[in-house]
Amino acid sequence: MQYSQMSKADLLAKKQELDKTFAELKEMNLKLDMSRGKPGADQLALSMDMLTEIKTPDDCIASNGFDCRNYGELGGLPECKALFSEVLGVPAENIVVGGNSSLNLMFDYIAQCMTKGVAGNTPWMLQDGVKFICNVPGYDRHFTICEHFGIEMINVEMTENGPDVEKIRELVKDPKVKGMFCVPKYSNPDGITYSDDTVRALAALQPAAKDFRVIWDNAYVVHDLNDTPDQLLNIFDVCKEYGTEDNFVEFTSTSKISFPGAGVSVLAASDNNMREIMKRLAMQTISYDKLNQLRHVKYFKNLDGIRAHMKKHAAIIAPKFQIVLDALDRELKEDGLAQWTRPNGGYFISLNTTGCSAKRVGELCKELGVTLTSVGATYPYGKDPADRNIRIAPTYPSVEELQKAAEVLCLCVKLATLEKLL
Amino acid sequence: MQYSQMSKADLLAKKQELDKTFAELKEMNLKLDMSRGKPGADQLALSMDMLTEIKTPDDCIASNGFDCRNYGELGGLPECKALFSEVLGVPAENIVVGGNSSLNLMFDYIAQCMTKGVAGNTPWMLQDGVKFICNVPGYDRHFTICEHFGIEMINVEMTENGPDVEKIRELVKDPKVKGMFCVPKYSNPDGITYSDDTVRALAALQPAAKDFRVIWDNAYVVHDLNDTPDQLLNIFDVCKEYGTEDNFVEFTSTSKISFPGAGVSVLAASDNNMREIMKRLAMQTISYDKLNQLRHVKYFKNLDGIRAHMKKHAAIIAPKFQIVLDALDRELKEDGLAQWTRPNGGYFISLNTTGCSAKRVGELCKELGVTLTSVGATYPYGKDPADRNIRIAPTYPSVEELQKAAEVLCLCVKLATLEKLL
């Protein structure tokens, strides 16, 4: 029976029963972390052979004869650009292979827009009240970049096909709206892949701002969980039809392919954007870590190599997603206590409570030693207007820990709902 | 006999003789590069064992149990901070170990001052006409950072004890003067180490600007060439006497210790500056490449390990410096055609012509296939007011190449002087 249809006496009895379970779990002094999209140790073990790909001086020489131990090749090693050209379907000359963090590349690009402006327009710092569209729920790290630079964020709700493009079309009529953060494939946290219509609508946008730029964070480009993966249109192919290639800058990384923090990052951009970005990069650094780029090329070789590797990741993490989904199905579905996504890839399950405060669920989980992503973090300024979204990151805990953590989460959703009803 | 005292006929005869040598050299179709401070292949070979320090999953675990293959430890690995704490003489908690480029750390710090300001003051972008002191001759990459951000540069001449502190004391009375770039040890290109009095004078500065920051680029902190190395005072120790620790942010890297482009970078700052920097870093990235940091710690172990390693570098490059100095002594000294430095460390010899245009020397060298650092680059905006400074980078060519390149350089100084006199 749904909680909302139960009598007060029944609700109290139910709560008493769950309080007992809560007390038992509390005594276990759990310490479980479902907060961040971090690979587990067994995933990290997959790429160990990469670390010994370079042993001799000869191993350090790139295909063009370049010694990767020395300065040079600012925009990345040619064979590493070629690898990501294949991954993203973008010509190698439109690619920069950077350091270990695509977030860093994005931050730096926004910083460039702030200090130098876009395409000859006034730097954003010197314009009055710059705004960004933020698709919600979304990735907290995108929002904090905007917040850091004082860029006002406007929420646009996600649908099952991607962000609400009608809303976006309206918003970009305002010349102060300068851009948008998107995770177009297996979005963080919903795991939604933008439909063809959505990608086309975004590519077709004619914003009032001449310095409008979409941060197209294709973080999960090859991060499928099963054999029926989502398909995302190549944004630059679609943009060609509308002449809007300059509106998008794409990013990805191997953080969840090889090693988080010791992978390589990638930026793809139109010729015009590339010119502006390379001009700044030439001031910012001499070159990125090409030995690490070379390790990646030697180890993965090509897109097929990356795909084969991603199947090994999927074999480890798909069962973890299933554990959480099974628990949610078993514990919360019948009573309609929450709704959640069943993604075909990415790193998260997004859960929306239907009858209680997500913040309260987070507090209860914390009391039992289970850390969730800060509730609210999936919205700009940490403010989830409906206080309902919880991002579940199932990859880092072990299978046993995850079973326990999922149990705790479901219990806490029930308890928070009962607290609200009583 | 000095050229200036020779008769026109003797000058013409001399020129005819040198023109013949020039023509002979031209026929050799040389291709020699003395332009950048790049280590040679034999130096790169010194650190090869570092690349196989990490082979097994156990090797990836830091002393605090942290798995360096995963996200985390934003400011750097504790043992790597400890290593550079020893190198710089700064507490580990005041150190950030970053990515592969200290130039990148400096650029990002200036970008932070531009967009966020310093110590609660108005961001530099929103102040009118921000200025920086640039010690000349100096490092072109420092100047191009200023130029990129539209920071007006004011030249201050170097003396044999470091920059002219009298001039600096006057300049910092202007609240628009926001900082200064310094390479305090084995300065680029002069190889001058700031004297104790200079360091004290800089530490004692009381600039009118409350948001004044010195970029203390200690790039050559352990880069001695012989057994009588220069000694530089620890800037933060001296600042303590004056309460000016906040005025300085120190940088270094292992680019010329391990691998250029695959080393680690380091920032050291006061508690106050560290708070502002870490706040920005937490927005900019998730963590740096800790596997590479760990490689460095495992390989060097401590400052003694680094010093022993630097002796191997010195054994390779000191003879290269000597080749250039010998050629200059032999060819240019008696006739007083130029003056040059004899550094105890660093990567450069700085040469000032006395009777000809340095630009013309560069042109003549180029005609013979010898690339020098763009003449003028050692001054802001690429403008050497006296057109006399040439930065010689002797490390990258082989001994044989260097002998030829030094011969060419001396010949071109002579020819340019004769051209001027005739």
Side-chain angles (χ1 to χ4, degrees):
Chain A
M1 193 195 287
Q2 302 230 330
Y3 284 22
S4 52
Q5 295 166 325
M6 281 162 76
S7 68
K8 186 156 184 188
D10 286 349
L11 287 172
L12 279 169
K14 185 83 182 165
K15 181 152 191 306
Q16 204 163 23
E17 175 199 329
L18 296 180
D19 280 341
K20 202 176 147 227
T21 314
F22 189 90
E24 285 163 9
L25 282 165
K26 195 164 180 180
E27 282 200 355
M28 294 176 78
N29 288 314
L30 300 172
K31 209 179 159 221
L32 306 172
D33 191 346
M34 292 203 295
S35 70
R36 305 297 315 178
K38 288 170 71 170
D42 39 2
Q43 289 179 267
L44 301 174
L46 294 176
S47 308
M48 282 309 293
D49 287 348
M50 179 187 289
L51 299 180
T52 45
E53 283 285 358
I54 297 178
K55 291 188 281 285
T56 70
D58 280 352
D59 293 338
C60 301
I61 309 301
S63 54
N64 62 355
F66 193 88
D67 190 331
C68 295
R69 296 170 297 181
N70 222 326
Y71 292 121
E73 301 286 3
L74 173 62
L77 205 60
E79 53 254 68
C80 202
K81 287 190 189 186
L83 174 62
F84 289 101
S85 166
E86 208 190 341
V87 172
L88 296 178
V90 171
E93 59 264 34
N94 294 97
I95 281 181
V96 171
V97 186
N100 72 322
S101 163
S102 58
L103 188 74
N104 202 152
L105 287 180
M106 291 179 234
F107 180 99
D108 287 0
Y109 183 67
I110 299 289
Q112 173 180 331
C113 298
M114 295 298 289
T115 58
K116 303 292 288 183
V118 173
N121 292 283
T122 305
W124 291 357
M125 270 289 282
L126 304 180
Q127 293 189 38
D128 185 37
V130 167
K131 301 176 190 173
F132 245 59
I133 294 167
C134 290
N135 303 312
V136 293
Y139 180 29
D140 54 347
R141 295 281 193 163
H142 290 162
F143 305 151
T144 49
I145 289 176
C146 289
E147 201 171 347
H148 176 80
F149 287 115
I151 297 170
E152 186 187 332
M153 292 179 270
I154 308 167
N155 293 3
V156 168
E157 289 288 331
M158 288 288 286
T159 75
E160 62 185 8
N161 296 311
D164 179 346
V165 289
E166 281 300 321
K167 182 85 187 289
I168 290 170
R169 266 194 285 260
E170 278 307 306
L171 287 169
V172 301
K173 290 178 183 167
D174 176 357
K176 291 187 177 180
V177 172
K178 297 297 182 189
M180 168 164 55
F181 273 104
C182 293
V183 181
K185 191 168 181 186
Y186 304 133
S187 69
N188 178 348
D190 286 329
I192 290 167
T193 298
Y194 294 12
S195 70
D196 294 359
D197 285 348
T198 300
V199 174
R200 285 209 179 84
L202 296 177
L205 285 177
Q206 298 290 344
K210 292 300 156 216
D211 48 356
F212 180 90
R213 291 293 179 268
V214 177
I215 306 298
W216 196 252
D217 184 2
N218 206 348
Y220 305 108
V221 55
V222 290
H223 300 59
D224 306 320
L225 281 172
N226 54 43
D227 294 331
T228 54
D230 296 352
Q231 302 295 333
L232 175 73
L233 286 180
N234 180 332
I235 185 67
F236 289 112
D237 286 350
V238 183
C239 283
K240 266 193 206 105
E241 299 169 29
Y242 303 95
T244 54
E245 299 100 311
D246 290 349
N247 286 1
F248 291 79
V249 185
E250 186 172 12
F251 299 85
T252 194
S253 81
T254 69
S255 292
K256 283 149 189 148
I257 301 174
S258 57
F259 299 111
V264 297
S265 61
V266 180
L267 174 156
S270 69
D271 295 344
N272 289 331
N273 287 328
M274 193 59 75
R275 263 191 298 277
E276 295 195 340
I277 289 164
M278 289 308 297
K279 203 170 152 189
R280 183 248 311 164
L281 270 188
M283 304 293 119
Q284 189 171 18
T285 189
I286 300 180
S287 49
Y288 290 109
D289 185 343
K290 294 173 302 296
L291 284 180
N292 205 35
Q293 296 183 5
L294 192 57
R295 273 183 204 109
H296 280 73
V297 177
K298 282 179 185 279
Y299 184 69
F300 290 122
K301 293 184 175 66
N302 51 38
L303 177 54
D304 281 346
I306 290 181
R307 289 209 185 281
H309 192 77
M310 293 313 290
K311 281 195 189 298
K312 296 182 200 168
H313 279 292
I316 295 170
I317 64 176
K320 292 185 175 180
F321 275 75
Q322 201 54 52
I323 285 169
V324 174
L325 292 170
D326 286 348
L328 298 174
D329 283 345
R330 193 173 56 238
E331 301 292 331
L332 305 181
K333 199 172 190 177
E334 202 183 324
D335 294 334
L337 299 179
Q339 293 172 325
W340 53 90
T341 55
R342 313 184 81 88
N344 289 318
Y347 260 65
F348 305 103
I349 293 166
S350 179
L351 178 139
N352 286 323
T353 59
T354 46
C356 71
S357 150
K359 272 216 182 304
R360 180 61 187 149
V361 175
E363 285 165 13
L364 289 168
C365 281
K366 198 175 174 191
E367 219 181 311
L368 293 185
V370 173
T371 310
L372 300 175
T373 306
S374 300
V375 175
T378 51
Y379 284 75
Y381 312 106
K383 286 180 196 154
D384 173 0
D387 186 15
R388 66 176 187 182
N389 189 247
I390 292 172
R391 186 182 81 163
I392 303 169
T395 55
Y396 188 66
S398 69
V399 164
E400 297 69 31
E401 288 171 336
L402 194 65
Q403 276 163 333
K404 193 51 84 181
E407 182 191 334
V408 166
L409 173 63
C410 292
L411 174 72
C412 294
V413 171
K414 289 179 189 171
L415 272 174
T417 311
L418 286 169
E419 283 178 1
K420 185 113 188 243
L421 288 169
L422 283 164
Chain B
M1 195 194 288
Q2 300 232 332
Y3 284 22
S4 52
Q5 295 166 325
M6 280 161 78
S7 68
K8 187 156 184 188
D10 285 350
L11 288 172
L12 279 168
K14 185 84 183 165
K15 181 154 190 302
Q16 206 166 21
E17 174 199 329
L18 297 181
D19 279 343
K20 203 176 145 228
T21 315
F22 188 90
E24 284 163 9
L25 283 165
K26 195 164 180 180
E27 282 199 357
M28 295 175 76
N29 289 314
L30 300 172
K31 209 180 159 221
L32 306 172
D33 191 345
M34 292 202 296
S35 70
R36 304 299 314 178
K38 287 168 70 171
D42 39 1
Q43 288 179 268
L44 301 174
L46 293 177
S47 309
M48 283 308 294
D49 287 348
M50 179 188 290
L51 299 180
T52 46
E53 283 286 359
I54 297 177
K55 291 189 280 284
T56 69
D58 281 351
D59 293 337
C60 301
I61 308 301
S63 54
N64 62 356
F66 193 88
D67 190 332
C68 295
R69 297 170 298 181
N70 223 327
Y71 293 120
E73 301 286 4
L74 174 61
L77 206 59
E79 53 254 67
C80 203
K81 287 191 191 186
L83 174 62
F84 289 102
S85 166
E86 208 189 340
V87 171
L88 296 178
V90 171
E93 60 264 34
N94 293 98
I95 281 181
V96 171
V97 185
N100 72 322
S101 164
S102 57
L103 188 74
N104 203 151
L105 287 180
M106 291 180 234
F107 180 99
D108 287 1
Y109 183 67
I110 299 289
Q112 173 180 331
C113 297
M114 294 299 290
T115 58
K116 302 293 287 183
V118 173
N121 292 282
T122 306
W124 291 356
M125 271 288 282
L126 303 180
Q127 293 189 37
D128 185 36
V130 167
K131 301 176 192 174
F132 245 59
I133 294 169
C134 290
N135 303 313
V136 293
Y139 180 31
D140 54 346
R141 294 282 193 163
H142 289 162
F143 305 151
T144 48
I145 290 175
C146 288
E147 202 171 346
H148 177 80
F149 287 115
I151 297 171
E152 186 188 331
M153 292 178 269
I154 308 167
N155 292 3
V156 168
E157 290 287 332
M158 287 288 287
T159 74
E160 61 185 8
N161 295 312
D164 179 346
V165 289
E166 281 300 321
K167 182 84 188 290
I168 291 170
R169 267 193 286 258
E170 278 306 307
L171 287 169
V172 301
K173 289 177 184 168
D174 177 357
K176 290 187 177 179
V177 171
K178 297 298 182 189
M180 171 164 53
F181 273 104
C182 294
V183 181
K185 192 168 180 185
Y186 304 134
S187 68
N188 178 348
D190 287 330
I192 290 168
T193 298
Y194 294 11
S195 70
D196 293 0
D197 284 350
T198 300
V199 173
R200 285 208 180 87
L202 296 176
L205 285 176
Q206 298 291 344
K210 292 298 154 219
D211 48 357
F212 181 90
R213 291 293 180 269
V214 178
I215 306 299
W216 196 251
D217 183 2
N218 206 349
Y220 305 109
V221 56
V222 290
H223 301 58
D224 306 319
L225 281 172
N226 54 43
D227 293 333
T228 53
D230 296 351
Q231 302 295 335
L232 174 73
L233 285 180
N234 180 333
I235 185 67
F236 288 112
D237 285 350
V238 183
C239 283
K240 267 194 207 104
E241 299 169 31
Y242 302 96
T244 55
E245 299 102 309
D246 290 350
N247 286 1
F248 291 78
V249 184
E250 186 171 13
F251 299 85
T252 194
S253 82
T254 69
S255 293
K256 282 147 189 151
I257 302 175
S258 57
F259 299 111
V264 298
S265 62
V266 180
L267 175 158
S270 68
D271 294 344
N272 288 332
N273 287 328
M274 193 59 76
R275 262 191 298 278
E276 295 195 340
I277 289 164
M278 289 307 298
K279 203 170 153 189
R280 182 247 314 164
L281 269 188
M283 304 294 118
Q284 189 171 18
T285 190
I286 299 178
S287 49
Y288 289 109
D289 184 344
K290 295 173 300 298
L291 286 180
N292 205 34
Q293 296 183 4
L294 193 56
R295 274 185 203 107
H296 280 73
V297 177
K298 282 179 185 278
Y299 184 68
F300 290 122
K301 294 186 174 65
N302 51 37
L303 178 54
D304 281 345
I306 291 181
R307 288 207 185 282
H309 193 76
M310 293 314 288
K311 282 195 190 296
K312 296 182 201 170
H313 279 291
I316 295 170
I317 64 174
K320 293 185 174 180
F321 275 75
Q322 200 55 53
I323 286 169
V324 175
L325 291 170
D326 286 348
L328 297 175
D329 283 344
R330 193 172 58 237
E331 302 290 333
L332 305 180
K333 198 171 192 176
E334 203 182 321
D335 295 334
L337 299 178
Q339 293 173 325
W340 53 90
T341 54
R342 311 184 81 87
N344 289 319
Y347 260 65
F348 305 103
I349 293 165
S350 179
L351 178 139
N352 285 323
T353 59
T354 46
C356 71
S357 149
K359 272 215 182 306
R360 180 61 187 149
V361 175
E363 285 165 12
L364 290 168
C365 281
K366 198 174 174 193
E367 219 181 311
L368 293 186
V370 172
T371 310
L372 301 175
T373 307
S374 300
V375 177
T378 50
Y379 284 75
Y381 311 108
K383 286 179 196 156
D384 173 1
D387 186 16
R388 65 176 188 183
N389 188 247
I390 293 172
R391 185 181 82 163
I392 304 169
T395 54
Y396 187 64
S398 69
V399 164
E400 297 69 32
E401 289 171 335
L402 195 64
Q403 275 161 336
K404 195 49 87 180
E407 182 190 332
V408 166
L409 173 63
C410 292
L411 174 72
C412 295
V413 171
K414 288 179 189 173
L415 271 174
T417 310
L418 287 169
E419 283 177 2
K420 185 114 187 243
L421 288 170
L422 282 164

